[in-house]
């Protein structure tokens, strides 16, 4: 199974706008949220998808664009893989960028 293309909303929700308003120092979160659809256009996502092997085993893959954004934030903050998971669950800035605020 190939990973799906990711098409998160372009327009900010009211909640997202409030979060962005509160971000004072780590402006990369704001930049990535506002530009993720342009950075990870369909053509680039298709290229990223080629790194996945077609398989029917296990769960369906996460869109590569989301994984790439998480890796960018991980490198930006210099944190471990375990800390990435914790940040995605606990930090609204991460959820803002990765389009998982409601989860």
């Amino acid at each position: 199974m190939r990973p799906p293309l990711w098409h998160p909303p372009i327009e900010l929700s009211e909640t997202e706008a409030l979060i962005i308003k509160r971000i004072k120092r780590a402006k990369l979160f704001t930049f990535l949220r506002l530009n993720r659809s342009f950075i990870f256009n369909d053509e680039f996502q298709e290229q990223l998808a080629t790194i996945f092997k077609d398989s029917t085993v296990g769960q369906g893959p996460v869109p590569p664009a989301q994984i790439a954004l998480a890796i960018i934030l991980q490198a930006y903050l210099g944190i471990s893989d375990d800390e990435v998971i914790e940040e995605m669950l606990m930090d609204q800035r991460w959820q803002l960028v990765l389009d998982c605020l409601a989860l």
Side-chain angles (χ1 to χ4, degrees):
M1 170 184 313
R2 286 276 185 203
L5 294 183
W6 187 48
H7 295 108
I10 295 173
E11 299 297 321
L12 291 175
S13 69
E14 288 181 30
T15 304
E16 290 175 321
L18 289 172
I19 293 168
I20 284 178
K21 195 174 187 180
R22 292 188 311 226
I23 296 174
K24 301 295 182 207
R25 291 180 299 156
K27 295 294 185 179
L28 181 63
F29 290 96
T30 300
F31 174 81
L32 290 174
R33 168 53 187 93
L34 295 175
N35 295 289
R36 66 188 179 194
S37 294
F38 302 110
I39 297 167
F40 294 98
N41 60 32
D42 285 351
E43 181 182 345
F44 186 40
Q45 288 193 57
E46 293 281 352
Q47 290 175 350
L48 288 174
T50 63
I51 64 173
F52 285 84
K53 182 175 92 174
D54 265 340
S55 175
T56 57
V57 178
Q59 297 177 349
V62 173
Q66 281 182 301
I67 295 170
L69 282 170
I71 292 170
I72 290 167
L73 292 174
Q74 179 182 20
Y76 176 65
L77 296 172
I79 61 176
S80 70
D81 292 347
D82 289 338
E83 289 171 305
V84 168
I85 295 167
E86 185 176 319
E87 293 294 341
M88 287 190 308
L89 292 172
M90 305 299 292
D91 192 328
Q92 286 186 323
R93 298 172 305 171
W94 282 70
Q95 295 169 9
L96 171 82
V97 172
L98 299 173
D99 192 35
C100 59
L101 275 170
L103 303 178

